[in-house]
Amino acid sequence: MKNIVLLGAPGAGKGTQAALIANEYNIPHISTGDIFRKNIKEGTELGKLAKSYIDAGQLVPDSLVIDLVADRLRQDDAKNGYILDGFPRTIAQAEALDKVADISVVIDIELPFETIIERLGGRLVCMCGETSHVSLLGDSKTCPKCGAEMYVREDDKPETVRARLEIYERQTAPLVEYYGKKGNMVTVDATVGTIEKVFEQVKKVLE
Ligand code: ADP
Ligand code: ZN
């Protein structure tokens, strides 16, 4: 059983790698970003609370995130391992996680900010969960997986991307030191290029 945490700046490819890991090892992919977006779409109370923060590129307050994740980890499908994507994002979240979970390994996906800005600048997403880039799809914007029209996330607009990277530096980057000290963190260099090459490295860590 493996309880995995993926760290990395927004746009470093956490979501993509998390989906591949979930599929390969047959464990649930728990993405707090996806949970919030689903709640926003469904118009739930949580969605309403989270939306203003997310659209502005800010973090949703710890108080709204921590219980949500603790509940999710208690569900049956998480008994045999899981991959956490986008949580923890603050030291307070990491400390709360330590109280309710035993994390086997933390994978920190590293990518320079310049590359991240290029990527997020053209990122397209689909309701089905697929992610792509304008440079791959051209004008069609048709989802390669389900055929729906892909769109730019509200928080992928340039000003918001800058805010997200600043917040990452200030609030999330300290987790690299936090987990580094615990000794269960491995860094994966995402400048190697393709999704497949990064995944090869990730699999080596998990074997
Ligand atoms: P990315 O990693 O590309 O920034 P996510 O889908 O993980 O995107 O998250 C999108 C937004 O959802 C974040 O910018 C933040 O506002 C909110 N969010 C997601 N996870 C957390 C978390 N653990 N704590 C606080 N806010 C979060
Ligand atoms: Zn799709």
Side-chain angles (χ1 to χ4, degrees), residues 138-189:
D139 293 334
S140 74
K141 293 194 181 164
T142 306
C143 172
K145 202 162 157 195
C146 79
E149 191 177 344
M150 301 187 84
Y151 58 93
V152 178
R153 253 167 57 177
E154 184 64 32
D155 60 345
D156 278 346
K157 306 207 162 131
E159 325 79 73
T160 320
V161 167
R162 241 172 283 123
R164 282 160 63 201
L165 289 176
E166 272 168 36
I167 286 168
Y168 169 79
E169 271 299 291
R170 204 166 58 234
Q171 308 212 58
T172 308
L175 293 178
V176 173
E177 205 194 328
Y178 179 90
Y179 286 116
K181 277 189 193 145
K182 284 183 183 282
N184 59 346
M185 189 185 73
V186 181
T187 301
V188 165
D189 177 5

Side-chain angles (χ1 to χ4, degrees), residues 10 14 32-33 37 54 58 60 86 89 93 123 153 164:
K14 286 191 306 289
T32 41
R37 281 185 289 276
I54 293 177
Q58 308 285 319
V60 175
R89 251 181 164 92
Q93 290 179 16
R123 176 157 80 173
R153 253 167 57 177
R164 282 160 63 201

Side-chain angles (χ1 to χ4, degrees), residues 8 14 22 28 37-38 40 51 71 78 103 115 137 144 153 158 166 202-203:
K14 286 191 306 289
R37 281 185 289 276
K38 181 164 183 275
I40 291 171
K51 188 176 189 317
D71 284 346
I103 299 303
T115 317
L137 293 185
R153 253 167 57 177
E166 272 168 36
V202 167
K203 274 197 289 196

Side-chain angles (χ1 to χ4, degrees), residues 3-196:
N3 299 334
I4 307 161
V5 165
L6 273 192
L7 278 185
K14 286 191 306 289
T16 305
Q17 295 300 324
L20 290 170
I21 295 168
N23 186 46
E24 177 90 9
Y25 298 97
N26 206 12
I27 52 177
H29 172 191
I30 303 176
S31 156
T32 41
D34 286 350
I35 295 173
F36 287 132
R37 281 185 289 276
K38 181 164 183 275
N39 275 275
I40 291 171
K41 187 166 170 252
E42 290 169 355
T44 67
E45 209 47 49
L46 176 68
K48 281 177 201 150
L49 287 167
K51 188 176 189 317
S52 56
Y53 297 99
I54 293 177
D55 286 353
Q58 308 285 319
L59 291 186
V60 175
D62 286 339
S63 58
L64 289 180
V65 187
I66 288 171
D67 292 347
L68 180 83
V69 173
D71 284 346
R72 181 63 188 85
L73 296 185
R74 261 182 247 119
Q75 286 175 27
D76 270 350
D77 67 341
K79 294 278 187 287
N80 297 312
Y82 48 79
I83 168 100
L84 271 174
D85 160 20
F87 184 96
R89 251 181 164 92
T90 63
I91 295 283
Q93 290 179 16
E95 287 170 351
L97 180 63
D98 279 342
K99 290 194 186 127
V100 298
D102 228 332
I103 299 303
S104 333
V105 60
V106 178
I107 302 178
D108 179 35
I109 301 186
E110 292 205 338
L111 196 67
F113 275 10
E114 308 87 81
T115 317
I116 286 176
I117 290 166
E118 271 167 39
R119 279 202 196 172
L120 293 181
R123 176 157 80 173
L124 292 169
V125 294
C126 180
M127 276 330 302
C128 78
E130 185 73 357
T131 314
S132 191
H133 195 272
V134 282
S135 64
L136 298 174
L137 293 185
D139 293 334
S140 74
K141 293 194 181 164
T142 306
C143 172
K145 202 162 157 195
C146 79
E149 191 177 344
M150 301 187 84
Y151 58 93
V152 178
R153 253 167 57 177
E154 184 64 32
D155 60 345
D156 278 346
K157 306 207 162 131
E159 325 79 73
T160 320
V161 167
R162 241 172 283 123
R164 282 160 63 201
L165 289 176
E166 272 168 36
I167 286 168
Y168 169 79
E169 271 299 291
R170 204 166 58 234
Q171 308 212 58
T172 308
L175 293 178
V176 173
E177 205 194 328
Y178 179 90
Y179 286 116
K181 277 189 193 145
K182 284 183 183 282
N184 59 346
M185 189 185 73
V186 181
T187 301
V188 165
D189 177 5
T191 53
V192 293
T194 64
I195 291 169
E196 291 74 21

